[in-house]
Amino acid sequence: MKIHIDIDCFFVSATRISHPELEHKPVAIGGRSDTKIFTKEAKNQTVNFENSGSFVPTFYKTYESKDDDIAAFKDADGRVRGILTTSSYEARAYGIKTAMSIREALQLCPALIIKAPNMSLYQKLSHQLHDFLALKIPLIEQASIDEFYGDLSGWIEDEDIPHFIDNLRHEIKKELNLPVSIGAAKTRYIAKLATTYAKPFGCKTIYEWEFDEFVNPIKVEDFAGIGRNMRTKLNAVQIKTLGALRLRRGTLESWGPYATELYKRVNGESDAPIQTQHKRKSIGISRTFDPIFDRNELKRRVHVLARHLSFAIFKLDVIPTVFHLSIHYEMNQKSYINISKAEIFTEKKFDMLCLKMFHKADTQKRLHMIRLSINCSSFTRDSHKELSLIGFEEEKKMQTLSKSTQELRQKYGIDTLKFASEL
């Protein structure tokens, strides 16, 4: 059997380890895009490659205790900004949900305690849980910062799994003070579904003879992998539960490979092996800000984002060959551009490329912008592209200079050296 382990309200649970007085109180972790990277106040930027998940950024500001105050989420004009990355079950009783605005959450629960995210603490605890699980389970996969999969086949007999996972969750609580919920089933996808119905701090095993009774009544939107568009498509043909979906194999197969695979996952026919290591396939950075019309200021911000992303690319030691820049304007307008280049990566050339993409993507010049995103993918280690030899020697020299700059930034911070165009 496969098992799925999920830390309950992870960010809140981690905060309660440092602040036990928050137990049994309505607590939420606030999140806000760190737009200070565009100002002189930028400092203590950290890069994370190891764990991912909802609201786990690649670039984040180091935690400071002074941010554990609602004032940290207020603008100069007094407006409360930001969203909730997670909330405790006590807060959820008031109707508070993940991704809700902090302002709306405080209206529902004026006594809600807002804490700042502490990504370094979350990473540390996630590592500790991974190491602990590796001692208990032969094959363990870290799916995100707060999710793990394990394979118990040939290790624990099926009839002993309920007892094993019940003991495991109590051991984790005792050793790491983290509450987890655990689901077990024949496939990883059904195990993850079981975890949802085990929360909070519970465990649930789905045997084959219980499969129909468990799966069939569940709403389609509660199955991981069924998003808004697929749910709308399913509802349009009167498929609202997983049981109804399982009766419509022909319909799903007529919709193509993705829907066919989805059917197999729901029906318990499809599974995937436990992957003990994941290779990062892309890296990106994006920031949302108040509407800006000044194109010179926006170009300056492109330079800032390019510098941060360049730092991450050198730290990963990869050469990207596909580059993507997207723009979100006011009035829900969007624009983007993709460029492929198989050349040696240097910071200066990447900065120029980002600026070029910005000019081409900026198709709505009469509108204010509210978000910029840059993404790099198709690293040469994963593609069959060969690097261009045009100007190869000159670019090698520029790469050496870029690496020297990288060493200084790793030692003294990402903001140690900046492009002149950022000032």
Side-chain angles (χ1 to χ4, degrees):
M1 273 193 168
K2 301 283 177 63
I3 63 171
H4 174 256
I5 303 157
D6 194 1
I7 307 175
D8 298 332
C9 309
F10 180 33
F11 295 176
V12 170
S13 296
T15 300
R16 283 173 166 168
I17 292 175
S18 305
H19 300 278
E21 71 276 8
L22 298 178
E23 285 288 347
H24 309 302
K25 293 182 180 179
V27 181
I29 306 300
R32 186 176 179 184
S33 178
D34 180 22
T35 54
K36 285 188 176 181
I37 68 169
F38 298 124
T39 73
K40 293 180 180 178
E41 299 175 55
K43 60 179 181 177
N44 298 330
Q45 288 286 324
T46 304
V47 182
N48 158 53
F49 298 130
E50 298 176 357
N51 292 317
S52 60
S54 300
F55 306 108
V56 181
T58 301
F59 299 89
Y60 58 87
K61 185 173 76 70
T62 301
Y63 169 80
E64 294 179 274
S65 59
K66 67 180 180 60
D67 293 334
D68 279 337
D69 191 286
I70 191 62
F73 298 93
K74 287 184 179 179
D75 281 344
D77 59 6
R79 285 188 302 168
V80 177
R81 304 292 293 273
I83 62 172
L84 301 183
T85 59
T86 193
S87 58
S88 66
Y89 286 101
E90 294 84 357
R92 295 177 194 185
Y94 289 86
I96 291 170
K97 299 178 181 178
T98 297
M100 178 180 282
S101 72
I102 294 176
R103 184 189 305 177
E104 185 181 357
L106 288 171
Q107 289 173 346
L108 292 173
C109 178
L112 183 66
I113 300 168
I114 307 291
K115 304 293 280 186
N118 186 346
M119 290 296 165
S120 296
L121 174 62
Y122 308 152
Q123 296 288 351
K124 176 186 173 183
L125 290 171
S126 182
H127 280 301
Q128 288 178 348
L129 179 53
H130 179 274
D131 292 344
F132 180 80
L133 291 172
L135 297 174
K136 303 290 181 178
I137 303 167
L139 286 177
I140 188 74
E141 172 185 333
Q142 180 147 18
S144 69
I145 195 169
D146 59 352
E147 279 188 290
F148 303 82
Y149 288 96
D151 191 344
L152 301 182
S153 304
W155 179 254
I156 303 294
E157 295 294 334
D158 284 0
E159 61 267 25
D160 296 329
I161 285 177
H163 179 69
F164 176 82
I165 61 176
D166 186 53
N167 281 344
L168 182 61
R169 71 185 172 103
H170 282 99
E171 286 184 75
I172 293 169
K173 188 70 171 71
K174 180 181 178 182
E175 294 295 324
L176 302 176
N177 204 17
L178 287 173
V180 304
S181 295
I182 307 176
K186 180 182 176 182
T187 71
R188 61 190 292 149
Y189 307 112
I190 303 303
K192 180 178 175 69
L193 191 62
T195 306
T196 304
Y197 290 85
K199 286 179 170 289
F201 193 53
C203 51
K204 190 173 186 66
T205 303
I206 307 300
Y207 290 106
E208 289 192 54
W209 60 84
E210 303 171 300
F211 188 88
D212 293 349
E213 182 182 358
F214 171 68
V215 170
N216 288 351
I218 295 173
K219 294 179 180 179
V220 292
E221 58 264 33
D222 292 337
F223 191 85
I226 298 182
R228 185 183 303 171
N229 292 338
M230 179 57 75
R231 180 184 66 191
T232 301
K233 196 171 183 178
L234 291 168
N235 288 345
V237 293
Q238 301 304 308
I239 298 176
K240 297 184 179 181
T241 66
L242 298 183
L245 186 152
R246 295 176 66 206
L247 294 173
R248 301 283 292 275
R249 183 170 199 145
T251 301
L252 271 291
E253 288 179 345
S254 71
W255 290 350
Y258 175 77
T260 300
E261 172 61 19
L262 181 62
Y263 174 86
K264 290 180 179 179
R265 292 183 181 185
V266 171
N267 211 39
E269 298 175 19
S270 179
D271 199 9
I274 298 299
Q275 297 182 358
T276 55
Q277 290 185 332
H278 288 273
K279 285 199 301 184
R280 179 178 281 271
K281 296 182 178 179
S282 65
I283 182 76
I285 186 171
S286 61
R287 285 295 184 272
T288 301
F289 35 76
D290 287 332
I292 298 175
F293 183 79
D294 185 348
R295 264 37 186 184
N296 286 329
E297 169 59 19
L298 289 164
K299 284 189 285 186
R300 188 186 74 82
R301 295 191 175 209
V302 170
H303 289 304
V304 174
L305 294 179
R307 170 167 55 83
H308 281 74
L309 193 48
S310 175
F311 176 85
I313 290 167
F314 274 110
K315 199 172 179 66
L316 279 173
D317 194 22
V318 295
I319 297 178
T321 59
V322 174
F323 306 88
H324 175 92
L325 184 143
S326 63
I327 296 170
H328 286 219
Y329 299 93
E330 57 186 346
M331 300 168 58
N332 202 31
Q333 297 297 302
K334 302 175 184 178
S335 180
Y336 69 89
I337 185 172
N338 290 308
I339 290 180
S340 294
K341 276 183 174 292
E343 301 175 353
I344 286 179
F345 185 87
T346 70
E347 182 177 2
K348 181 179 179 181
K349 190 164 58 175
F350 178 60
D351 177 66
M352 293 170 62
L353 176 63
C354 290
L355 197 59
K356 178 182 177 181
M357 290 195 295
F358 173 78
H359 283 302
K360 287 189 175 183
D362 185 15
T363 56
Q364 307 289 331
K365 298 188 183 297
R366 295 184 179 182
L367 296 179
H368 290 69
M369 287 186 197
I370 59 174
R371 185 177 180 86
L372 281 168
S373 303
I374 306 172
N375 186 274
C376 302
S377 59
S378 294
F379 303 144
T380 48
R381 69 183 184 197
D382 302 315
S383 73
H384 299 291
K385 297 178 182 177
E386 294 184 0
L387 297 180
S388 170
L389 296 178
I390 299 174
F392 187 83
E393 291 301 323
E394 186 63 30
E395 289 180 359
K396 284 289 288 182
K397 293 178 183 177
M398 290 301 298
Q399 187 184 53
T400 300
L401 178 61
S402 295
K403 288 182 176 179
S404 298
T405 302
Q406 178 78 3
E407 290 174 4
L408 286 171
R409 286 180 179 149
Q410 287 190 164
K411 187 174 182 179
Y412 298 108
I414 302 176
D415 294 294
T416 303
L417 295 172
K418 299 181 180 182
F419 295 119
S421 47
E422 294 181 41
L423 305 176

